[in-house]
Amino acid sequence: MASAVDNALIVQSDSSVLLEVHAPRAEAAREALAPFAELVKSPEHVHTYRLTPLSIWNARSAGLSGAAMVAALREHAKYPVPDNVVTEVGELAARYGRVVLTTDGDALVCTCLDRPTAERLARDRAAGPYLGDRIDPTRFRVRPAMRGALKQALVAAGFPAEDLAGYVVGEEMRIALRDRCLSGASFDVRDYQREAAEAFHLAGSARGGSGVIVLPCGSGKTIVGMAAMAAVGQTTLVLTTSLTSVKQWRRELLDKTTLPEEAIAEYTGESKATGPVTLSTYQILTWRPDRDSEFPHLSLFQARSWGLIIYDEVHLLPAPVFRVTAELQARRRLGLTATLVREDGREADVFALIGPKRYDVPWRELEQRAWIATAICTEVRVPMSEERRMEYALAERRAQFRVAAENPEKTAQVRTILARCPEGRVLIIGEYIPQLEALARELSAPLVTGKTPQREREQLYDRFRRGDLRQLVLSRVGNFAIDLPDADVLIQVSGMFGSRQEEAQRLGRILRPKGDGRTAHFFSLVSRDTREEDFAHHRQLFLTEQGYSYRIEIAPGA
C-alpha cells in the first residue's frame, strides 16, 4: 500500500476535498474521485472538489456504492477522513432508492422504505401535495400525470425516487445496425458504445429505459443512440440542437442502420413531417408567435406513440421541454451529453426527469485507447494596447468583458498560431460577430453564423471535409454537432463568459481521431490582466476534471 505521504487528497469536514496536483498519486486520486465529486475550482497547485447529493446519487445510479466512495477517499487521503464525511456520504448514498415508484394495474404507487420516511415526505411542502390517498403506512397512490412532478419534488426533498413504474409500449419499428456502412467500410460498435446502450436499456427491464449517457464529443454518442433505438425497437423521436445536427443524424442513420430513407422524417422549420423516426430541434419546439402564446410545436410529443425519446446534448434542454417531459415519464428517455454541467443550474431536473447518469467514460481513457484524438490545450494571454486598456478601465463592469474579448491584438496571435500549424485544418470560433467578420476578412476565410443559409453551411462544411478549405471561421453555431472529423486545430478568440459546457463542446470539435494519429491543438486567446482571465479559468474547470491541463503562453508584448 502507498504511503499516506504520497497521497493527494485532503478531505475536509465541510465535504470539500482538496487535490494536491503535484503529489505522486495525484492522477490516480483524480480518477477515483471524479465519479462522485464535483470540481469547484482548479488553480495551479490545489484543486477543490465538493461532495454533493447529486454527485453521489449519480454515482449510485451508475453502480458505485457508498462504501466504495468512502473506500476511495480513505485510499487516497493524506490524513484520516473526518467521521462526519463518512457518515454523510453513507447517508446520501443510502437515500438513493429509499423511495420507489411502481404500478398497480393502472395506478401509480409510491412506496417508502419505512414509516418515518413516509411521514416525512407526506408533510414535505414540495412532495406532499403529489402524494395521494394512503394505501398503508408506507405506500401512497399517485396520479400518473404527476409522476414527473413528484420525482422533481422528491429530489428537492433529498429522497430521489427509483422509478420502476415501467413504460408504455410504442409503435413497433424494425431497425438493426449494419456490419458495413453504405460506403462499404466495415462498421463495428465500440465496446464502450455497446456498454452504454446496454446500461441504458438493461434488457428492457423497468430499471432501465431512462437516464443519461456521458461521453466525450467525437466519441460517437450518436451511435449509442442508434444502438439504443435498435434495442428498444419502437418509434423514436430524436431532439437535437440545430438543423445541421438533424442532417447529421439522418446521414448516420442511413449509413449505419437498416432504416429506409422514407422511415426518417424531419420536423423542423423546413418541413413538419413525422415518421417512425422523427428528427427535430429544440428551437422549433420552443418557438411561439409571441411571449404570451402557447408553444404550438410541443404537440409533437403526442404526435405518435413514441417508444423512445432521445435528447441529444441534454445539458441544453430548454425549460419548456423540461415541462412537457415531466408529463412524459411513461416514455423511455435517453439523454446524450459530453457534460452534465448546465449553466442554469438545473442538473437536478435532468436527473429527475430524463434520468440519472447510467454510464460515462473519462475522456483521458478514450484518448489513451485512441478512440478520441490526443489534445494539447493552450491558453495564450494577449496584451492590449494602451488605448484599449484605457477603454477597458473606463467601461462599466459588464462591458469590460466584451472590450477584452474583442481585443484587436488577438488577430496577430491568430496569425502566429496559423504559422505554427501550417498543415492544420483550422476552426476559428468566437462569440462576437463583428470580431469574427473582421477575422474572416483578414484571413480571407469563410464565416458561418446563425444567419448563414443552411445550404451554404453544408456546402462549406463539405469543402472543409474534402480538404478544399483549410480554415473556417465560426460563431457559436460551431459549438454543437458539426461533423468535421479532420479538424485538428481550434482557435477560440472569445467565449460566453465562464461557460464550462461551451469549453467542453468546443474542444470536442477537434477530438475525432485522425487517420494519421496527429495531435489536436486547442488554443484559447485571453486578454491579459482582465476579467477575461477569470472567466477563462472557470471555463476550464470541466476539462480539468477530465484530466486536461492548460499550458499558459504569454504573447510578446504582454
Side-chain angles (χ1 to χ4, degrees), residues 355-378:
K357 179 177 66 176
R358 296 294 185 187
Y359 188 87
D360 72 346
V361 180
W363 292 35
R364 282 297 199 183
E365 180 179 325
L366 294 188
E367 180 184 294
Q368 291 164 5
R369 297 170 63 186
W371 290 127
I372 60 176
T374 299
I376 295 175
C377 303
T378 304

Side-chain angles (χ1 to χ4, degrees), residues 37-67:
E38 177 187 341
L39 182 63
V40 177
K41 55 185 177 179
S42 57
E44 292 86 349
H45 307 297
V46 178
H47 295 177
T48 302
Y49 289 77
R50 183 167 297 280
L51 303 169
T52 69
L54 207 58
S55 70
I56 289 171
W57 294 335
N58 268 312
R60 283 284 296 114
S61 71
L64 195 64
S65 68

Side-chain angles (χ1 to χ4, degrees), residues 242-243 246-247 266-273 279-281 284:
S242 65
L243 188 55
V246 165
K247 302 300 183 185
E266 297 180 16
Y267 191 100
T268 66
E270 294 182 344
S271 69
K272 302 293 186 295
L279 311 174
S280 189
T281 68
I284 194 68

Side-chain angles (χ1 to χ4, degrees), residues 48 88 126 186 280 420 475 558:
T48 302
E88 184 72 6
S186 62
S280 189
R420 286 167 57 179
S475 73

Side-chain angles (χ1 to χ4, degrees), residues 450-468:
K451 294 183 178 180
T452 306
Q454 188 65 32
R455 183 185 295 273
E456 183 180 340
R457 293 189 206 186
E458 293 298 334
Q459 289 172 345
L460 289 171
Y461 297 155
D462 284 342
R463 289 178 60 198
F464 191 93
R465 293 185 196 106
R466 294 196 305 266
D468 299 339

Side-chain angles (χ1 to χ4, degrees), residues 86-364:
V86 173
T87 301
E88 184 72 6
V89 170
E91 286 292 309
L92 285 171
R95 284 189 178 192
Y96 181 78
R98 191 179 292 183
V99 178
V100 179
L101 297 181
T102 56
T103 53
D104 182 7
D106 293 332
L108 187 65
V109 177
C110 177
T111 302
C112 302
L113 179 66
D114 49 43
R115 187 165 182 172
T117 301
E119 294 297 338
R120 177 172 176 173
L121 293 177
R123 288 163 172 73
D124 184 82
R125 185 175 298 179
Y130 298 113
L131 298 174
D133 296 337
R134 209 156 191 161
I135 301 171
D136 58 37
T138 60
R139 294 191 300 160
F140 302 85
R141 287 190 174 86
V142 178
R143 289 171 51 204
M146 295 294 104
R147 185 171 168 180
L150 173 61
K151 287 162 66 175
Q152 285 179 289
L154 289 171
V155 168
F159 289 88
E162 186 169 12
D163 189 348
L164 304 180
Y167 309 96
V168 298
V169 178
E171 301 169 35
E172 183 181 358
M173 178 185 69
R174 294 186 179 182
I175 174 177
L177 299 179
R178 298 177 184 272
D179 295 325
R180 289 192 172 275
C181 303
L182 288 183
S183 64
S186 62
F187 171 61
D188 294 304
V189 178
R190 298 169 185 168
D191 54 0
Y192 66 87
Q193 294 167 336
R194 184 178 296 104
E195 290 166 3
E198 290 172 351
F200 163 76
H201 189 235
L202 289 180
S205 73
R207 292 188 181 277
S210 65
V212 179
I213 303 299
V214 183
L215 290 172
C217 301
S219 62
K221 294 188 292 295
T222 304
I223 293 171
V224 175
M226 294 189 296
M229 291 166 62
V232 173
Q234 297 172 26
T235 50
T236 301
L237 173 61
V238 179
L239 306 177
T240 189
T241 55
S242 65
L243 188 55
T244 297
S245 182
V246 165
K247 302 300 183 185
Q248 182 178 325
W249 269 90
R250 171 179 282 277
R251 285 196 303 270
E252 288 289 282
L253 286 165
L254 292 174
D255 189 48
K256 296 178 175 63
T257 77
T258 57
L259 281 175
E261 191 161 354
E262 61 271 17
I264 306 171
E266 297 180 16
Y267 191 100
T268 66
E270 294 182 344
S271 69
K272 302 293 186 295
T274 65
V277 173
T278 299
L279 311 174
S280 189
T281 68
Y282 298 130
Q283 289 93 327
I284 194 68
L285 291 179
T286 54
W287 178 88
R288 53 181 171 174
D290 55 67
R291 293 184 61 181
D292 297 324
S293 300
E294 294 297 316
F295 298 94
H297 299 298
L298 289 180
S299 60
L300 178 62
F301 284 101
Q302 309 298 338
R304 284 177 175 254
S305 181
W306 307 113
L308 173 64
I309 301 174
I310 297 178
Y311 300 84
D312 197 12
E313 309 292 3
V314 70
H315 60 282
L316 297 175
L317 202 65
V321 180
F322 268 127
R323 190 178 70 237
V324 73
T325 297
E327 303 166 4
L328 293 168
Q329 297 298 295
R331 309 285 180 188
R332 286 181 172 85
R333 305 169 309 284
L334 170 62
L336 301 173
T337 185
T339 166
L340 286 173
V341 171
R342 284 183 63 95
E343 302 305 329
D344 61 3
R346 295 189 68 173
E347 291 91 348
D349 285 333
V350 173
F351 180 92
L353 298 178
I354 308 300
K357 179 177 66 176
R358 296 294 185 187
Y359 188 87
D360 72 346
V361 180
W363 292 35
R364 282 297 199 183

Side-chain angles (χ1 to χ4, degrees), residues 364-406:
R364 282 297 199 183
E365 180 179 325
L366 294 188
E367 180 184 294
Q368 291 164 5
R369 297 170 63 186
W371 290 127
I372 60 176
T374 299
I376 295 175
C377 303
T378 304
E379 179 183 307
V380 183
R381 296 182 180 172
V382 183
M384 292 196 298
S385 67
E386 187 171 346
E387 293 80 10
R388 194 79 176 182
R389 289 168 57 202
M390 181 60 72
E391 181 184 355
Y392 179 87
L394 296 175
E396 294 183 2
R397 183 169 174 79
R398 185 171 180 84
Q400 285 180 328
F401 178 80
R402 182 159 184 174
V403 172
E406 293 190 289

